[in-house]
Each structure stands twice: as C-alpha cells, then as structure tokens.
Amino acid sequence: MRPFVFLLLFLLAPSISWAQTTAAAEAAAQATALRRANQLVLERRYESAWKLLKFLDQMNLDPAVALKKTELALNYYTATDELKRFAFRDLKLLDLSPDSLRQLEVDTPRYSFPVRRVLEKLQEKYPDNYKLDRALGDYYFAVQQCDCAEQELGEDAVFQRTIKHYQQAHDHGQGDYLSYFALGYSYQRLGKFQESLAPFERSIELRKDSPTTHLNLAFVYLELKEFEKAQAHARRAVELFPDDAHKEDAAYLLGQIEERMKATAATQTP
C-alpha cells in the first residue's frame, strides 16, 4: 500500500501546486485592483472606482471587495434609493463636494448595492470577520445621518444597532476616531451621557484636533455637571472649527457653560 500512496501523492502534487499558485495569483490580482480602486477614490473618480469594484465581485461574495464597496457607497454617492441603490460621479479635483452634488439632483445611473443585506449575508458566512461589524455600524450611523432608509425601525432602534455593531467591532480591534465618535454620539442621543464619555475620549485620543468631538464632549460634560471639563472642550472646539458658523455654535455653548458655572458658584457662596 505504501508505494501506491507515494504514487498518488506524486500524481496529486502538480495539481496542488497549481491550485496554490492560482490562489496566490488571484489574491495578488485582487490586491492590485483594490489599490487601484483606492487611487481612483483619491482622484475623486468615484463612478470609475465603483465600476472596477463591481467587475471585481459582481455577486458581492468577497468580504474585502464588499467592504470597499460599502465605504464608497456610504461616503461618496451623489444620490441613493434607501441605501440600496447608489449613483456616483467622476469629479474633477475642483468640482463640488459629493454633499453639494447631492443637492443638484443630477440624473445619473444607479447601481444596486443593498448595503445591509450584503453585509448581513457575508456575516453569516464569515462570523469572525469583525470588519463586517464595523461596516454595519457605519451603515446604521449613515442611516441616522441621512434619514433616508430603515424608516420602519425608528431612530432609537437605529442608534441601538449602531452601538451593537460598533461595540462588537471595537472589542475586536476594528475602530478608528470616526467609529468611536459615532458610538459616543449614539449613546449621547439616547441620553446615555455617562456611556458616551469613553468612546468620545477614545476618539479624541485618536484625533486630537477633531472640533466636532470636542463640542459633543463639552455638551456631555455639561449634562453631567462637570463644568470645568465642559468648558475646556468647548474652548478647544472654538479654537479648532475653521468656519465662523461652527465657531459661533461652539462659542454659544461655551457661554452657556460659563453661565452655569457662575450660577453654581453663586449658590455655593455663603
């Protein structure tokens, strides 16, 4: 029997080697295509990036490609049908931002990509891929921000799902300053101010110059009656916001905080 086994292994070796070589070549080709898609996004050629990703994985079976599609869809669409179909534009470097283009209602082709369904199907197959949880957190946060999908859920349920997926992602090392901000914001909007502190503070650790995070922390600390911390974050927000409108908002909150500090001090004076 032993010579037969050796002969069988000898005969199978070329096919095994070929399969390994093919898999390596496919992985390398995919990595090259994803890098190209990233470059197209940097060049603001969003529709071209989408077409490349669509060609790369038409059935949305590959987590890496689906995650890149999700990032592109949620951040760079010019129009959407309930976050299930998306329109994109290739922009010139000096063109309007995607947010501005959304206001123009330009008639462009729409590509099918039901974000939630795609990610949940992949999660069933790859339950340990926590990047999918991160993407689902991004999806539900986008739902709340645009108010353009999942109308049957209600805002509180959307925030709860946002928290669930971001917490799972963060517990497994999948997070950045934006996801921590979104988690803190979700707790804040649910009135869970104490729970919002840790993710907001983590967001600040990862991006110290984010004025929006400082502003939200100022509001939370005000609600918790930690006035000195609220004042410090509000002042930082005033410093960091680049435009007058947001500076005025932060300055108004700072004024409210300082009024509360004065009123509290007056009540404590014998």
Side-chain angles (χ1 to χ4, degrees):
M1 293 296 291
R2 188 168 297 171
F4 174 75
V5 172
F6 286 152
L7 178 60
L8 181 61
L9 289 174
F10 176 78
L11 292 173
L12 287 175
S15 62
I16 293 172
S17 178
W18 179 83
Q20 291 173 338
T21 302
T22 301
E26 290 176 351
Q30 183 197 75
T32 299
L34 289 173
R35 284 195 296 271
R36 178 58 182 155
N38 283 332
Q39 183 59 38
L40 288 169
V41 170
L42 290 175
E43 295 170 4
R44 307 184 75 193
R45 296 167 61 188
Y46 305 122
E47 187 171 21
S48 294
W50 184 265
K51 288 179 178 178
L52 172 59
L53 294 169
K54 186 173 184 291
F55 174 79
L56 194 59
D57 179 22
Q58 296 193 28
M59 302 302 293
N60 301 314
L61 300 176
D62 188 296
V65 181
L67 288 167
K68 180 54 65 176
K69 284 182 178 179
T70 299
E71 178 187 333
L72 181 59
L74 295 181
N75 292 298
Y76 300 109
Y77 69 83
T78 55
T80 185
D81 300 322
E82 298 183 340
L83 301 182
K84 296 176 181 177
R85 292 171 55 83
F86 298 87
F88 303 97
R89 293 284 302 277
D90 282 353
L91 307 180
K92 297 177 181 178
L93 289 179
L94 298 180
D95 276 344
L96 297 170
S97 69
D99 283 335
S100 298
L101 280 176
R102 287 167 199 164
Q103 299 171 14
L104 297 178
E105 298 183 359
V106 179
D107 186 18
T108 54
R110 300 199 181 193
Y111 301 92
S112 176
F113 186 66
V115 179
R116 175 185 171 186
R117 181 157 59 88
V118 168
L119 294 176
E120 287 180 345
K121 285 184 69 175
L122 285 169
Q123 202 172 43
E124 290 175 6
K125 188 174 182 181
Y126 303 98
D128 296 331
N129 187 338
Y130 297 103
K131 291 181 180 179
L132 296 170
D133 273 297
R134 163 64 199 267
L136 279 164
D138 291 342
Y139 167 74
Y140 282 111
F141 187 63
V143 166
Q144 192 280 324
Q145 293 291 291
C146 74
D147 192 24
C148 60
E150 307 285 1
Q151 300 293 337
E152 69 282 0
L153 285 179
E155 191 172 64
D156 283 2
V158 170
F159 280 130
Q160 288 162 1
R161 293 188 184 200
T162 305
I163 289 168
K164 171 191 169 184
H165 287 293
Y166 276 143
Q167 287 281 30
Q168 183 78 335
H170 292 168
D171 287 346
H172 293 87
Q174 300 298 326
D176 60 15
Y177 86 97
L178 285 172
S179 64
Y180 279 100
F181 168 80
L183 178 59
Y185 180 79
S186 299
Y187 277 126
Q188 177 186 351
R189 289 292 302 272
L190 289 174
K192 298 182 177 182
F193 300 113
Q194 194 66 48
E195 290 90 336
S196 75
L197 288 178
F200 275 146
E201 293 286 6
R202 179 58 177 153
S203 181
I204 290 289
E205 288 176 12
L206 296 171
R207 181 66 66 88
K208 298 183 185 302
D209 59 352
S210 172
T212 304
T213 311
H214 282 289
L215 185 65
N216 280 270
L217 262 174
F219 178 84
V220 168
Y221 277 123
L222 176 60
E223 288 293 323
L224 295 173
K225 299 181 180 180
E226 296 189 42
F227 300 126
E228 291 185 0
K229 291 181 179 179
Q231 182 186 46
H233 283 290
R235 284 177 174 170
R236 189 69 178 131
V238 172
E239 293 170 3
L240 290 171
F241 273 121
D243 60 291
D244 290 340
H246 285 98
K247 278 185 180 293
E248 288 174 6
D249 289 341
Y252 176 79
L253 180 59
L254 177 59
Q256 294 294 305
I257 294 166
E258 291 175 343
E259 286 296 322
R260 289 281 298 276
M261 292 175 77
K262 291 177 183 176
T264 301
T267 60
Q268 294 174 350
T269 301

